[in-house]
Amino acid sequence: RVPTSALIEADHVQVLMVAEALDVAVLVPVGTLRRAHHMNVLITGCSRGIGLEFVRTGMRRQWRIFACCRHPGQAARLTDIAKLAGGSVSLHVVDMTEPATIQALAYELRNEPIDLLINNAGIYGSAAHRFGNVDVASWQQTLLVNSIAPLKLVEALIDNLRRAPAA
């Protein structure tokens, strides 16, 4: 069992272990996580699961978190975390199936450097994906959310990422 948040360093890479029950690891360049008080981190898919745990971890490390999900007003646990964070966690609407929300986020954060982008939002797709029963529309939706939208998000925020001190 991995602690809720642990930092391990080896061979020029730091591994931030997050999510006690999920044993999730994030690889980042050495030195990135040492600037704990000066990190701006954008995380997608924050309403539950791994994304929510990333927000909790960032809050404990005193990072500035831009927490993104489809319906922040319906994300009670995320809203509670943001209220306890004293302004260091802000909530933002991003629906990975709606490119306009990605562009709106980029405009909203246009002056913010982003040190770390965690593209966590994703979907499993239809449980009926079996040979002979392929649902093309469901696969297209899954590819959009899991592959194309994260790339579009990076494209939209590339200037923010370049403005980060470690960039």
Side-chain angles (χ1 to χ4, degrees):
R1 217 173 138 147
V2 175
T4 302
S5 175
L7 181 61
I8 302 163
E9 293 187 42
D11 297 327
H12 301 66
V13 173
Q14 292 175 320
V15 180
L16 175 63
M17 302 300 290
V18 179
E20 195 170 302
L22 301 173
D23 294 338
V24 174
V26 177
L27 301 174
V28 296
V30 165
T32 303
L33 298 175
R34 287 196 187 112
R35 296 177 293 114
H37 299 295
H38 304 288
M39 290 276 290
N40 284 347
V41 180
L42 187 138
I43 307 166
T44 64
C46 290
S47 61
R48 59 189 173 93
I50 297 169
L52 188 64
E53 192 59 36
F54 279 130
V55 174
R56 282 188 182 114
T57 298
M59 187 184 84
R60 281 191 298 273
R61 292 179 170 275
Q62 299 178 4
W63 294 345
R64 171 69 177 100
I65 303 290
F66 305 106
C68 304
C69 64
R70 288 178 291 180
H71 306 289
Q74 298 173 12
R77 291 183 294 171
L78 179 59
T79 301
D80 290 344
I81 291 169
K83 287 177 185 175
L84 293 172
S88 67
V89 175
S90 58
L91 307 183
H92 305 272
V93 174
V94 173
D95 183 337
M96 300 302 264
T97 66
E98 296 293 333
T101 66
I102 292 172
Q103 291 305 315
L105 176 71
Y107 181 78
E108 184 180 356
L109 300 179
R110 66 191 173 278
N111 297 317
E112 299 285 349
I114 297 174
D115 297 284
L116 182 62
L117 168 58
I118 301 175
N119 257 321
N120 172 68
I123 60 175
Y124 290 111
S126 173
H129 288 309
R130 291 190 183 93
F131 185 77
N133 191 29
V134 173
D135 180 346
V136 173
S138 177
W139 267 112
Q140 289 173 328
Q141 184 80 352
T142 302
L143 289 171
L144 171 65
V145 171
N146 296 348
S147 299
I148 299 166
L151 176 61
K152 295 305 290 179
L153 183 63
V154 171
E155 287 178 348
L157 297 174
I158 192 65
D159 290 336
N160 305 72
L161 293 161
R162 287 181 175 147
R163 274 196 298 277

